[in-house]
Amino acid sequence: MADLTFLGAAREVTGSCHLLESPALGRVLLDCGMHQGGDAVERIQDEQFAFDPQAIDAVLLSHAHLDHSGLLPRLYHEGFRGEVICTRATAELLDVMLHDSVGLYLRDLERSNLRRARRGQEPVEAVFSQEDVEGVIALCSPCNYGESRAVGEDGVVIFHDAGHILGSSIVEVRLREKGKLKTLVFSGDLGKSDSVLMNEPALLEHADIVLMESTYGDREHRPEEDSQSQLSEILQSTWDRGGSVMIPAFAVGRTQDILFHLGCLYQAGELDNWEVFLDSPMAIAVTRVYDRWLDLLDGDEVRQLSEAQRTSLETFLPTLKLAIDTEDSMAINRIKGGAIIIAGSGMCTGGRIRHHFKQRIWDDRNTVIFTGYQARGTLGRILVDGARKVKLFNEEYVIKAQIETLGGLSAHAGQSGLLKWIANFKPQPRTLLVHGEASAQQALQEQLQQQQGLAAEIPGRGEHIRF
């Protein structure tokens, strides 16, 4: 009998982690993500595994976003030595993302310990290091979409294109117990059908049980083409006010989408007077990974590019300037208007975007553009929810900049996309909704019942089922 325990992204969006146990597989994790929101050091210190990491035989990793992969270094630090099975592009992105994430954590921890020392308190020990990242990368066992990979004594995993970010996967697990074949499908994060860079999510037909994400289970996104028009209008309005634009962007996926849309505007002659800055060393590194795979990306818009334009996103947007070190980042402050600043982190929980807010968020000429989901407790969510003041670096700032959201740039499927994806399974599988806030999950649950007669379940954290 197989057991499945929901350990993260259960009635919440971040911290994706589910434990699958079976004599056929051993003990396998579906993702090993960190929670996001609040103080990063405190959050990471407080994360605890509800299992013995040394007893985990493998991690089946859906994609490289930190809310799905960010606790892999801690898992390794605490004794995990099994395989991390993922796609080749995910393994390449993981190398960049985990080194950057752990580096930020260690720098934040150092500053936190300095404050503790001034108060006469004992320092806090790091829960992982860059050596642990190297250990995780060495455990990666990359494979291609559609390739069958053995797991345990009588199990197989197959990755299918989820269309979310480069390398993202729908994870199909087949296991045989007492001669009976069982199939579990974990959607990971499903992409949209009209993404400019990604393929549509693969449609699967058979599963006994499906774990489906529900991030946007209660709403639809604007069409992607509308986002480019909206972006153009926001830029023109900000230009007319003499302001600049700040775009908090996730280093993987969203940054590359934004660069592509800005490239389209540049090619149409609409971006001539703007200075565009990519102010994130990790996003720069990830964009270069995307460039290496750009020829294989299959969005309709990518196929329409000339051979020269498909060389790299930097070639497509020649006015792009890369701010690699802190001096480059600080130099942007001297530009008073006409700058488009793309910086991490996407939810404003850290990174250089907070420094740009300090310089510009109090000025009503400027605009902040959000391009994706903002988790509860993050600075991004506070701003989207309409706060009028915010504390940055122990100082309070009045928010006068315009706050905008590009609804069509999400990398997640909206409600109709989720309904279409699950409807392809015949017969209907047992369906459990994960990776969503309660309101989104309940709305999706109701639609599944009304439209498809499917009684989806919403497991809580720590709950487990047998199948």
Side-chain angles (χ1 to χ4, degrees):
M1 186 71 72
D3 280 277
L4 181 64
T5 307
F6 303 89
L7 300 174
R11 301 182 189 173
E12 59 183 346
V13 169
T14 63
S16 179
C17 185
H18 313 289
L19 175 60
L20 179 59
E21 300 173 274
S22 163
L25 296 171
R27 304 187 84 206
V28 172
L29 289 183
L30 303 172
D31 287 348
C32 188
M34 64 167 54
H35 287 84
Q36 294 174 303
D39 180 88
V41 170
E42 291 180 5
R43 185 183 67 244
I44 291 171
Q45 298 295 136
D46 290 343
E47 295 268 19
Q48 299 292 331
F49 294 122
F51 50 82
D52 178 6
Q54 296 183 60
I56 300 299
D57 297 301
V59 177
L60 310 181
L61 184 61
S62 67
H63 64 289
H65 275 151
L66 293 176
D67 63 323
H68 294 256
S69 70
L71 284 186
L72 284 171
R74 183 161 194 170
L75 192 74
Y76 181 89
H77 186 83
E78 296 185 17
F80 169 71
R81 293 298 183 271
E83 286 184 303
V84 178
I85 307 176
C86 59
T87 63
R88 297 185 186 282
T90 293
E92 197 170 338
L93 289 172
L94 206 60
D95 195 0
V96 176
M97 295 193 69
L98 291 183
H99 276 110
D100 184 87
S101 173
V102 172
L104 287 173
Y105 159 70
L106 292 174
R107 288 192 290 276
D108 287 346
L109 180 62
E110 184 179 7
R111 286 192 288 267
S112 177
N113 279 335
L114 280 173
R115 290 194 295 271
R116 293 178 66 86
R118 294 188 195 109
R119 300 180 193 130
Q121 298 172 329
E122 291 295 315
V124 174
E125 293 292 324
V127 299
F128 46 58
S129 67
Q130 295 289 8
E131 288 72 23
D132 296 316
V133 175
E134 294 296 335
V136 168
I137 300 305
L139 295 178
C140 281
S141 178
C143 54
N144 299 317
Y145 288 132
E147 177 183 341
S148 295
R149 181 65 62 88
V151 181
E153 292 184 4
D154 208 355
V156 167
V157 62
I158 304 169
F159 293 99
H160 306 273
D161 193 346
H164 175 62
I165 63 167
L166 184 66
S168 61
S169 302
I170 299 161
V171 182
E172 179 183 5
V173 182
R174 300 175 185 171
L175 55 122
R176 189 174 295 278
E177 292 181 332
K178 298 180 180 179
K180 185 178 180 181
L181 182 65
K182 302 176 183 180
T183 302
L184 176 146
V185 170
F186 170 44
S187 72
D189 286 355
L190 294 171
K192 303 182 304 170
S193 61
D194 63 347
S195 170
V196 291
L197 294 179
M198 298 293 108
N199 297 318
E200 289 192 38
L203 295 174
L204 280 66
E205 296 181 351
H206 172 74
D208 298 293
I209 187 165
V210 172
L211 277 64
M212 183 172 75
E213 72 117 319
S214 51
T215 314
Y216 288 100
D218 58 347
R219 74 196 85 166
E220 299 292 354
H221 304 303
R222 294 177 64 171
E224 186 102 8
E225 61 186 25
D226 288 356
S227 291
Q228 188 165 307
S229 299
Q230 185 187 1
L231 177 59
S232 177
E233 290 169 6
I234 294 170
L235 291 177
Q236 186 59 57
S237 175
T238 307
W239 181 270
D240 292 343
R241 296 196 306 270
S244 291
V245 170
M246 295 167 283
I247 306 179
F250 302 97
V252 182
R254 209 61 44 81
T255 289
Q256 292 72 40
D257 285 346
I258 293 162
L259 292 176
F260 185 87
H261 282 293
L262 290 172
C264 290
L265 291 176
Y266 174 85
Q267 298 295 332
E270 295 185 40
L271 214 64
D272 292 347
N273 297 317
W274 286 95
E275 294 184 80
V276 184
F277 298 92
L278 180 53
D279 188 15
S280 166
M282 182 168 74
I284 292 168
V286 168
T287 299
R288 287 171 176 164
V289 173
Y290 264 69
D291 286 345
R292 291 196 286 275
W293 292 83
L294 194 58
D295 234 19
L296 300 179
L297 299 178
D298 202 28
D300 289 340
E301 288 80 359
V302 176
R303 285 196 294 270
Q304 293 170 17
L305 299 184
S306 68
E307 189 172 336
Q309 289 171 337
R310 290 185 70 158
T311 305
S312 75
L313 291 170
E314 292 176 53
T315 302
F316 191 47
L317 179 58
T319 55
L320 179 66
K321 300 174 183 177
L322 306 179
I324 296 172
D325 55 36
T326 53
E327 288 75 17
D328 295 332
S329 180
M330 292 170 65
I332 300 171
N333 296 336
R334 294 195 289 269
I335 300 171
K336 300 307 177 188
I340 299 172
I341 306 161
I342 307 164
S345 65
M347 297 186 191
C348 312
T349 53
R352 294 181 181 178
I353 193 65
R354 295 168 73 101
H355 293 275
H356 292 296
F357 283 172
K358 179 181 175 181
Q359 298 292 327
R360 301 177 191 269
I361 203 165
W362 44 265
D363 188 335
D364 61 8
R365 295 174 299 173
N366 298 323
T367 303
V368 179
I369 302 177
F370 287 98
T371 62
Y373 180 83
Q374 302 298 308
R376 288 178 179 171
T378 62
L379 175 58
R381 182 64 167 261
I382 290 167
L383 294 174
V384 167
D385 285 347
R388 299 316 306 159
K389 293 181 181 179
V390 68
K391 200 166 188 178
L392 296 166
F393 308 104
N394 297 316
E395 264 190 82
E396 193 170 72
Y397 292 82
V398 174
I399 301 167
K400 291 187 177 180
Q402 299 292 312
I403 308 296
E404 302 279 358
T405 298
L406 292 181
L409 281 192
S410 174
H412 290 266
Q415 186 186 82
S416 61
L418 295 170
L419 292 170
K420 174 187 173 184
W421 185 79
I422 195 68
N424 206 64
F425 288 90
K426 299 289 187 292
Q428 287 183 338
R430 183 178 182 183
T431 302
L432 300 111
L433 304 182
V434 296
H435 204 284
E437 292 181 359
S439 58
Q441 293 185 316
Q442 289 162 8
L444 182 59
Q445 184 184 48
E446 290 172 7
Q447 289 300 310
L448 287 167
Q449 181 64 56
Q450 290 174 16
Q451 295 188 29
Q452 300 178 22
L454 177 59
E457 303 164 56
I458 303 175
R461 192 172 181 183
E463 290 185 23
H464 80 276
I465 63 169
R466 287 187 169 184
F467 71 100

